[in-house]
Amino acid sequence: MKSSVMVVLLAAAVAGCGGTGEGEPVRVDVPAGASFSQIADSLAAHDIIDNKALFQAYGRVKGASAALRPGTYAFKRGTAWSTILADMKAGRVLTAKLAIPEAFNVYALAPRIAQVTGLKEDSVLSVLMDPATAERLNVPGPTLEGYLYPATYSFPINSSLDTVLSKLVATYRKMWTPARQARADSMKLTEREVITLASIIEKEAKKLDEMPMMAAVYHNRLRIGMPLGADPTVQYALGKHRARLSYAAIDSVADNPYNTYRNRGLPPGPIASPSERAMDAAMSPPVSDFLYFVARPDGSHVFTRSLVEHNRAKSAAQRERDAASQ
């Protein structure tokens, strides 16, 4: 009896010293709480191992049967059993990159987050836009818009949505430092107001060095009770970007609180994910009496003090665009 057991174990040990496998890697999902037998079943079903009984014996010999981590793995058919167990013990699961670009809003981010979590885009978006989610994750709201900090992240494939959102918000929290809170307090601005203004600046600025002057324009308008007149907030109200924002489009969302042509003051919340640079610009406007700015074809802006100057700048910018299109 002992000799037969030794033969089995010897065969398992030999099998466990196999090669690197062949063919394309095959995904294997290991659910939380799965038994070693269930894991072996899944590996055998995907033809990654060819003898479940020997593999289980090998796992017991190696003391790995109770130490494997859940997750999604990828192995080639015929991969050495020692490699399989080592990867599962270490939790070397498949990961996916999640890029959060600056100035992206939740409508653009939902598909990316859906790919990482394996959820449907609509389901992700409903969670992002739910005020209860913002409250649970302790951000000023009204939704998670503006608080999913722009950076590149790495997550295990099929991570839970809560895991992903918690990480993104935690990164934002690191950016909202006590020094920035103190600066906001000194300007009598709430955290939400800063992030809202920063998100507008982030959407407007094509030249990063213009961010502070844009902030100056908006602060000047807020101070005198003049509507912000920010195109990106109307685009947000419309729900999709338009290359040229017509008066008809602005009027079509006249009652929307994000329409800063029709409503004075800041909109109810952020309209995108702002960077640190935009946050700091929103709280460090230079002294200026500019009230307007208009975009030129190269992405830079002309800043002016009066409506007459602004209209001249608009006409000049249009002539540049017309000349460039000929």
Side-chain angles (χ1 to χ4, degrees), residues 252-290:
S252 72
V253 287
D255 296 330
N256 192 295
Y258 284 87
N259 187 332
T260 57
Y261 279 89
R262 298 290 182 261
N263 301 288
R264 300 178 189 276
L266 289 166
I271 60 170
S273 293
S275 62
E276 278 188 284
R277 186 163 186 160
M279 293 181 200
D280 291 337
M283 294 187 288
S284 304
V287 176
S288 165
D289 55 358
F290 288 136

Side-chain angles (χ1 to χ4, degrees), residues 159-311:
S159 290
S160 71
L161 181 56
D162 190 63
T163 295
V164 173
L165 298 183
S166 295
K167 176 64 175 177
L168 271 55
V169 170
T171 305
Y172 162 77
R173 275 282 163 228
K174 291 179 181 177
M175 300 302 113
W176 187 255
T177 60
R180 288 193 171 101
Q181 181 64 62
R183 176 62 180 162
D185 291 342
S186 72
M187 298 182 71
K188 295 182 171 53
L189 293 171
T190 66
E191 180 181 350
R192 185 198 289 195
E193 288 172 334
V194 171
I195 302 305
T196 298
L197 182 53
S199 71
I200 297 172
I201 294 168
E202 190 75 66
K203 293 290 287 186
E204 286 276 25
K206 300 299 183 288
K207 307 287 187 180
L208 299 183
D209 59 357
E210 291 184 345
M211 282 185 172
M213 193 58 72
M214 287 182 172
V217 169
Y218 288 135
H219 278 286
N220 288 341
R221 286 188 166 212
L222 289 169
R223 186 180 65 255
I224 64 176
M226 182 179 179
L228 293 184
D231 286 2
T233 65
V234 178
Q235 301 275 19
Y236 193 76
L238 289 168
K240 61 181 179 179
H241 182 79
R242 300 190 183 186
R244 299 292 296 170
L245 196 60
S246 66
Y247 289 115
I250 295 172
D251 288 340
S252 72
V253 287
D255 296 330
N256 192 295
Y258 284 87
N259 187 332
T260 57
Y261 279 89
R262 298 290 182 261
N263 301 288
R264 300 178 189 276
L266 289 166
I271 60 170
S273 293
S275 62
E276 278 188 284
R277 186 163 186 160
M279 293 181 200
D280 291 337
M283 294 187 288
S284 304
V287 176
S288 165
D289 55 358
F290 288 136
L291 286 173
Y292 303 88
F293 58 81
V294 63
R296 301 178 63 221
D298 65 357
S300 65
H301 290 78
V302 178
F303 294 85
T304 53
R305 296 170 177 81
S306 70
L307 183 57
V308 171
E309 291 177 331
H310 177 61
N311 287 334

Side-chain angles (χ1 to χ4, degrees), residues 129-150:
M129 294 298 286
D130 187 348
T133 309
E135 183 177 356
R136 179 170 57 81
L137 292 176
N138 193 32
V139 292
T143 67
L144 285 189
E145 186 74 89
Y147 308 103
L148 305 176
Y149 192 76

Side-chain angles (χ1 to χ4, degrees), residues 3-253:
S3 61
S4 64
V5 172
M6 289 301 295
V7 169
V8 170
L9 294 181
L10 179 60
V14 171
C17 294
T20 58
E22 57 186 25
E24 292 297 318
V26 179
R27 287 192 182 187
V28 179
D29 291 320
V30 177
S35 68
F36 189 57
S37 177
Q38 290 171 322
I39 295 172
D41 280 338
S42 185
L43 292 168
H46 289 87
D47 294 327
I48 294 168
I49 62 173
D50 57 7
N51 192 312
K52 174 187 170 183
L54 285 181
F55 179 77
Q56 288 182 278
Y58 181 74
R60 287 194 293 271
V61 168
K62 292 296 185 180
S65 58
L68 306 185
R69 298 185 182 182
T72 300
Y73 297 86
F75 300 108
K76 294 180 180 180
R77 292 177 174 87
T79 296
W81 295 356
S82 56
T83 299
I84 294 172
L85 294 179
D87 284 356
M88 288 189 169
K89 284 178 69 176
R92 287 190 278 270
V93 297
L94 289 176
T95 59
K97 295 292 184 183
L98 174 60
I100 307 291
E102 296 163 352
F104 266 43
N105 61 32
V106 293
Y107 299 100
L109 294 179
R112 297 184 176 215
I113 296 173
Q115 288 183 344
V116 174
T117 60
L119 300 174
K120 291 183 178 179
E121 180 182 334
D122 289 347
S123 299
V124 172
L125 184 59
S126 67
V127 173
L128 299 182
M129 294 298 286
D130 187 348
T133 309
E135 183 177 356
R136 179 170 57 81
L137 292 176
N138 193 32
V139 292
T143 67
L144 285 189
E145 186 74 89
Y147 308 103
L148 305 176
Y149 192 76
T152 299
Y153 303 84
S154 180
F155 291 100
I157 286 177
N158 294 329
S159 290
S160 71
L161 181 56
D162 190 63
T163 295
V164 173
L165 298 183
S166 295
K167 176 64 175 177
L168 271 55
V169 170
T171 305
Y172 162 77
R173 275 282 163 228
K174 291 179 181 177
M175 300 302 113
W176 187 255
T177 60
R180 288 193 171 101
Q181 181 64 62
R183 176 62 180 162
D185 291 342
S186 72
M187 298 182 71
K188 295 182 171 53
L189 293 171
T190 66
E191 180 181 350
R192 185 198 289 195
E193 288 172 334
V194 171
I195 302 305
T196 298
L197 182 53
S199 71
I200 297 172
I201 294 168
E202 190 75 66
K203 293 290 287 186
E204 286 276 25
K206 300 299 183 288
K207 307 287 187 180
L208 299 183
D209 59 357
E210 291 184 345
M211 282 185 172
M213 193 58 72
M214 287 182 172
V217 169
Y218 288 135
H219 278 286
N220 288 341
R221 286 188 166 212
L222 289 169
R223 186 180 65 255
I224 64 176
M226 182 179 179
L228 293 184
D231 286 2
T233 65
V234 178
Q235 301 275 19
Y236 193 76
L238 289 168
K240 61 181 179 179
H241 182 79
R242 300 190 183 186
R244 299 292 296 170
L245 196 60
S246 66
Y247 289 115
I250 295 172
D251 288 340
S252 72
V253 287

